[in-house]
Amino acid sequence: MTDQNATATPKENTPAAPLLGTPVPPVQATPAATGAASADKESTAAAEQPAPVEEATESPSPVRPKIRPHAFVVMPFGKKKGGDGSLYDFNSIYNLMIKPALELAGFEPFRADEETSSGDILTDMFQELLLADLCLCDLSIDNANVYYELGIRHAFRKRGVVHIQAGRAYMPFDIFNVRTLPYHITPEGVPDPAFLKNDIQAIARMTRDTWASDRDAVHSPVFNLLSGLVEPDRKNLRTPLATGFWREYNEWKQRVTVAQRQKRIGDILLLTEEIRNPLIKEEAIGEAGKALASMGRNELSLEQYRKGLEGNPGNLAFRREEAFHLNRLGRVDEAIVKIESLLTDFPNDSEAISYLGRIYKEMWAESWKSIPDKTKRLKAAFDSYHWLIKAIDIYLKGYRIDLNNYYPGVNALTLSTIAVHLADRFDDKKDPDPDITRIRQELFELKGAMIFALETKVDVDNADYWTLISLAELRVLTADNIATVSRSYRKALTASRRNLFFLQTSLSQLEILSALELRSDYVRAAINILEEELSRVGKDEKHLPVSKKNRKTAGDSSEGQVFLLAGYMVDYPSKEKKTFPENKESDVRAEILKKLEKYNAGQNDIAILAGLSAGSEIIFAEVCAEKGIHVDVHLPLPEAEYIREFVSPGGESWVDRFYKIRNHPHVDEYYQLENVGEVKEGYDPYERNNRWALYSSLIHGTDKVTLIAVWNGLGGRPKDRDARLTRHMVELMRETGGKIEIINTSKYIHGFIAGAIDGLPDLSNPAPAPAKSKVQKKGRQTPNKK
């Protein structure tokens, strides 16, 4: 903001503010823009002849819900009088001017009196005031509450404040030099119709410019005067007393915890996407990222953290996790650049330093671990010890910065032990490497410090898995008997929550020691315990490929394929748009089978449906079940209601087929209300169901997903619900980036080969068949099955 104070009176004939266009919405990738990447290359006919567009009944809506930044409005309520006796109707000012202006600027406006959920309105108001992306303050009258709230915002947040006023020729001394935007009211205290449009546009422009200003810009006079003042971390501004404010987050966390235990990736992604309050969104993204990482889905976790950084680029934890997951995905150079950039801003961040140490540790391990010959492998590990020493030094630096952070200390100790072990075998005894000598001298002291630190931590009742497993790993390196090692690992398993990712990560640490023949008997005892637990957990896991049970990570190339279907219901008398003649069922069935055979689909794969309607979906489920492919069905409505809406219109024979396939041993159904809760206001439950099914299909990664769409390729926003939802799923997949195979139904209606007339293209997208692996069948217990 500039240091000036506008003092326009209500009736002052000020020049009209420049017209502002409608705020630019988030860019929605069109099929033309995204189809090439997500659906491979379409046919030449498709490229040369655009598909016809169906008549639209409404403007296209976003494929996914978009979250707007939060604007908290600080102003008096009701009708108030100013110091000169003039009247102000603040409720009208808010509803007719301020709220539309904020919405025009792309914000989600909120005023304290709009809180409808139970809770303490005072504490909920403070959370909004302190955590909102932007605060708009109406300073038209000298209201104590407004000035008090404004002072709090100025004291705790350095940016994101807009001041407006009407009817006064001066401002109080303390804020007279802060730019305040004037607006116009009538003698009755309501927005002046003659100026309303321009005032809305002016407020929208000012709020948009304030939000878009440099992230380092300072809008608070307090932070401008006290240049050494540091803005508190948002987490430190959270109060659990604001029960209404945090209710959405608490309910979200309960569902996500269940979804994580059941390996329901789709539930986590959908629930996180739907959090409307961006103040809570940041907390949720952090938790979702952890949940997805614990399930081995590093690429999805990375996507979550990057979404978080879009909203708050200064979030230190998100910056760390972005680098961590880039490294886990093999994008090492990007990870190093991100970590080094972070350390430039925060040179003493122990966790970031530890992440950098991990990168160099893995660079060292990659140089030798694939060598089959034992002697050559050990020699290669020693020959590349310059990377090993670099990793040790980085870990030690992180540990010395924060002695309470045992993670870098344990890693420094493990790698130091390895370095000494290799040096004893290969280093020149007469002229030892000075770095190895230094590490050898520091090892005893480091060992004692880590034993003391970890034993102290595990004595508490709530010691987590990573603390317990770190002590167990330390026992492998230091214990005098194998029983001590075994006891430590078994104790750690009690806190593992039977999490495969946790167990596999711990096993990979031991396999490094095993490959280097370090304390082999102790290492083998620990490996046996983890392998036994992995075997037990694997038997209980549902929909996990065999490769998982063989301890391969979730991103392993041997994982099975996932087939998703979107398609029309069969035509029935009252159906508005005819898209699938019932007498062509055998043709559609044959084409679905052909698409599956193209990818060698079989028992190792998974099929996912966003419904089980009469027509394409039931046919697809039947074909998959016949091939031994496990089918997950996501239903947007309770069963009876769903049958009435989507099955019965096709006739009683389809109802019979619905029940028969639903009861098939290869089919499990999930109900939207039970798994992901009620539909939020403004959301389409059927489009939500599409997103839920699509996100669930990402269990093995986007590259393993193929959408088979029984679709005529038409654009626009169709009037018919069936056609709209089919197109919506295709758009979702195009935006996501998976493969798409089209079965064009137009030829069944018009009797031509797709693309031959009317410019209708054959939209099939040939693609190589991904690798396969075994899928474990889920047991059936309740209608929900999970």
Side-chain angles (χ1 to χ4, degrees):
M1 296 183 184
T2 55
D3 283 343
Q4 63 182 29
N5 180 38
T7 58
T9 62
K11 296 297 183 180
E12 184 178 358
N13 188 18
T14 55
L19 291 177
L20 292 176
T22 303
V24 180
V27 176
Q28 291 296 312
T30 63
T34 62
S38 63
D40 298 337
K41 295 183 178 180
E42 296 182 354
S43 63
T44 303
E48 294 177 353
Q49 303 180 43
V53 178
E54 294 182 354
E55 181 183 354
T57 59
E58 54 184 300
S59 58
S61 61
V63 176
R64 292 180 172 88
K66 301 297 179 182
I67 303 300
R68 294 179 289 170
H70 213 55
F72 182 61
V73 180
V74 177
M75 67 185 303
F77 303 149
K79 294 181 180 180
K80 298 286 190 299
K81 287 187 177 182
D84 59 358
S86 56
L87 182 65
Y88 294 82
D89 186 344
F90 286 107
N91 289 352
S92 294
I93 291 169
Y94 174 73
N95 290 315
L96 298 177
M97 185 184 67
I98 294 176
K99 187 173 183 178
L102 290 171
E103 290 174 342
L104 177 63
F107 286 86
E108 180 78 36
F110 183 79
R111 203 168 70 154
D113 62 330
E114 293 181 320
E115 177 60 61
T116 58
S117 60
S118 61
D120 181 358
I121 190 171
L122 181 62
T123 52
D124 288 351
M125 179 273 291
F126 270 114
Q127 289 291 254
E128 289 279 354
L129 183 66
L130 295 173
L131 298 177
D133 298 296
L134 180 134
C135 277
L136 184 145
C137 300
D138 191 323
L139 304 173
S140 299
I141 65 174
D142 294 332
N143 182 277
N145 288 335
V146 169
Y147 283 122
Y148 176 69
E149 293 171 30
L150 176 60
I152 291 173
R153 177 73 181 200
H154 280 169
F156 285 95
R157 299 292 299 277
K158 68 180 182 181
R159 70 186 309 275
V161 184
V162 171
H163 299 179
I164 64 172
Q165 61 87 14
R168 59 190 309 163
Y170 72 94
M171 295 299 294
F173 174 78
D174 290 334
I175 56 172
F176 81 95
N177 64 336
V178 179
R179 183 186 180 196
T180 304
L181 184 72
Y183 64 88
H184 303 79
I185 58 174
T186 67
E188 293 75 28
V190 300
D192 191 334
F195 296 93
L196 181 58
K197 180 178 179 180
N198 286 346
D199 283 343
I200 287 175
Q201 292 170 338
I203 293 172
R205 179 176 57 186
M206 188 171 185
T207 54
R208 186 185 297 149
D209 290 347
T210 300
W211 171 248
S213 63
D214 190 313
R215 285 284 172 178
D216 293 326
V218 177
H219 305 149
S220 162
V222 176
F223 281 87
N224 266 320
L225 290 171
L226 304 176
S227 57
L229 190 62
V230 178
E231 188 178 66
D233 187 284
R234 283 194 181 190
K235 288 185 177 180
N236 296 329
L237 299 177
R238 173 177 177 173
T239 170
L241 297 176
T243 55
F245 182 88
W246 291 102
R247 181 170 289 104
E248 182 184 16
Y249 172 75
N250 293 331
E251 292 173 354
W252 170 89
K253 191 168 184 178
Q254 289 176 9
R255 288 194 178 276
V256 165
T257 300
V258 173
Q260 181 181 355
R261 292 181 178 179
Q262 295 181 348
K263 305 296 185 289
R264 299 282 302 161
I265 283 177
D267 297 17
I268 296 173
L269 293 175
L270 181 74
L271 290 165
T272 305
E273 178 182 73
E274 289 186 340
I275 288 185
R276 287 183 166 179
N277 188 338
L279 319 182
I280 297 170
K281 186 89 170 179
E282 193 169 333
E283 295 281 333
I285 283 175
E287 292 295 328
K290 291 178 184 177
L292 292 166
S294 73
M295 297 162 69
R297 290 266 62 96
N298 297 102
E299 78 287 357
L300 298 178
S301 186
L302 173 64
E303 183 180 341
Q304 288 297 313
Y305 289 119
R306 285 188 160 173
K307 286 179 181 178
L309 287 171
E310 289 175 7
N312 180 10
N315 189 302
L316 179 58
F318 289 0
R319 291 179 68 183
R320 289 193 206 110
E321 294 303 320
E322 180 187 26
F324 175 82
H325 290 290
L326 283 169
N327 181 53
R328 291 300 297 265
L329 292 168
R331 297 158 65 177
V332 178
D333 291 337
E334 292 179 72
I336 291 175
V337 169
K338 294 290 184 182
I339 286 290
E340 289 178 343
S341 173
L342 191 159
L343 289 174
T344 298
D345 298 335
F346 303 94
N348 292 323
D349 185 68
S350 177
E351 290 190 47
I353 291 171
S354 299
Y355 284 2
L356 186 61
R358 181 190 179 97
I359 291 173
Y360 286 112
K361 166 190 168 183
E362 292 180 356
M363 290 172 64
W364 165 73
E366 287 296 326
S367 68
W368 57 263
K369 67 180 184 181
S370 61
I371 300 175
D373 183 82
K374 177 181 65 176
T375 303
K376 292 180 180 179
R377 182 171 65 245
L378 291 171
K379 185 63 166 63
F382 175 75
D383 289 341
S384 57
Y385 73 84
H386 48 287
W387 294 118
L388 179 59
I389 291 173
K390 187 173 182 66
I392 292 169
D393 289 340
I394 291 173
Y395 276 129
L396 282 173
K397 179 181 178 182
Y399 177 57
R400 287 165 179 160
I401 287 173
D402 182 3
L403 296 178
N404 291 318
N405 184 4
Y406 60 83
Y407 170 78
V410 170
N411 277 277
L413 175 60
T414 301
L415 297 184
S416 295
T417 304
I418 291 173
V420 170
H421 168 70
L422 293 173
D424 288 343
R425 186 161 182 169
F426 297 105
D427 200 13
D428 189 331
K429 300 299 188 294
K430 295 181 180 179
D431 184 21
D433 185 284
D435 283 323
I436 297 291
T437 301
R438 169 177 56 84
I439 290 171
R440 191 188 297 272
Q441 292 170 346
E442 295 175 341
L443 184 56
F444 180 79
E445 182 180 348
L446 179 61
K447 187 182 300 183
M450 292 312 306
I451 291 174
F452 175 78
L454 286 170
E455 286 182 343
T456 301
K457 285 182 177 291
V458 300
D459 280 342
V460 300
D461 293 336
N462 60 345
D464 64 10
Y465 173 76
W466 298 112
T467 301
L468 293 169
I469 205 68
S470 294
L471 180 59
E473 291 171 2
L474 187 60
R475 299 296 191 207
V476 168
L477 300 175
T478 61
D480 295 326
N481 61 78
I482 293 176
T484 300
V485 173
S486 298
R487 282 194 295 269
S488 295
Y489 271 90
R490 294 192 189 283
K491 184 175 182 179
L493 293 182
T494 63
S496 70
R497 295 183 179 178
R498 301 170 66 81
N499 186 297
L500 280 173
F501 175 73
F502 290 178
L503 300 173
Q504 291 160 358
T505 300
S506 301
L507 191 59
S508 66
Q509 293 288 92
L510 292 170
E511 287 172 340
I512 291 177
L513 303 180
S514 177
L516 297 175
E517 297 187 329
L518 178 60
R519 290 176 65 88
S520 298
D521 292 342
Y522 297 88
V523 171
R524 173 43 55 189
I527 288 176
N528 288 341
I529 290 171
L530 289 178
E531 287 183 334
E532 289 171 5
E533 184 68 9
L534 279 164
S535 178
R536 283 191 293 269
V537 173
K539 290 178 182 178
D540 296 332
E541 288 291 336
K542 300 175 181 179
H543 283 335
L544 287 175
V546 169
S547 59
K548 268 271 179 79
K549 297 174 186 177
N550 289 333
R551 302 189 271 90
K552 295 185 180 180
T553 62
D556 189 86
S557 61
S558 63
E559 286 181 340
Q561 304 167 91
V562 182
F563 296 98
L564 188 66
L565 182 110
Y568 299 130
M569 292 177 63
V570 71
D571 291 343
Y572 49 88
S574 62
K575 189 176 181 184
E576 185 174 349
K577 185 75 174 179
K578 306 302 182 184
T579 51
F580 182 177
E582 189 166 14
N583 62 1
K584 296 297 181 180
E585 178 187 337
S586 60
D587 296 293
V588 172
R589 178 182 292 270
E591 291 204 50
I592 289 174
L593 182 60
K594 183 178 178 181
K595 296 295 185 185
L596 292 172
E597 289 177 344
K598 174 181 176 180
Y599 291 87
N600 299 315
Q603 297 178 3
N604 297 332
D605 304 317
I606 304 171
I608 292 181
L609 286 162
L612 203 55
S613 60
S616 306
E617 291 173 338
I618 286 181
I619 294 170
F620 180 73
E622 290 171 342
V623 172
C624 289
E626 289 167 5
K627 293 179 68 66
I629 301 171
H630 190 93
V631 182
D632 276 353
V633 179
H634 295 70
L635 296 173
L637 303 171
E639 184 176 83
E641 187 177 349
Y642 183 82
I643 292 173
R644 183 172 63 249
E645 285 283 320
F646 291 94
V647 186
S648 293
E652 288 304 312
S653 63
W654 286 101
V655 176
D656 292 339
R657 290 168 68 175
F658 172 90
Y659 283 118
K660 183 177 180 180
I661 192 63
R662 187 208 66 175
N663 293 325
H664 195 283
H666 286 321
V667 177
D668 281 323
E669 68 270 20
Y670 300 87
Y671 292 90
Q672 191 178 121
L673 181 62
E674 293 178 16
N675 286 81
V676 290
E678 295 182 356
V679 181
K680 294 189 176 182
E681 183 181 357
Y683 288 172
D684 183 303
Y686 309 117
E687 291 186 359
R688 184 193 195 215
N689 206 60
N690 275 354
R691 295 195 306 273
W692 185 30
L694 175 68
Y695 298 158
S696 298
S697 74
L698 302 179
I699 184 171
H700 300 319
T702 306
D703 60 320
K704 301 295 179 71
V705 182
T706 301
L707 171 66
I708 298 174
V710 181
W711 177 52
N712 61 17
L714 295 182
R717 188 168 175 82
K719 296 178 181 178
D720 182 70
R721 178 179 64 186
D722 186 38
R724 172 172 60 84
L725 293 176
T726 300
R727 176 171 179 78
H728 177 257
M729 182 66 90
V730 174
E731 290 175 341
L732 272 175
M733 180 56 78
R734 282 175 166 166
E735 190 176 277
T736 301
K739 299 179 288 294
I740 304 177
E741 293 280 354
I742 304 296
I743 297 172
N744 195 328
T745 62
S746 296
K747 56 189 174 184
Y748 301 132
I749 298 173
H750 303 294
F752 63 89
I753 298 175
I757 63 173
D758 292 342
L760 286 177
D762 180 0
L763 298 176
S764 297
N765 297 292
K772 303 181 299 177
S773 65
K774 181 80 173 174
V775 174
Q776 181 74 13
K777 170 67 180 78
K778 294 190 177 182
R780 298 177 60 85
Q781 298 174 350
T782 67
N784 188 27
K785 311 295 190 304
K786 302 295 181 283

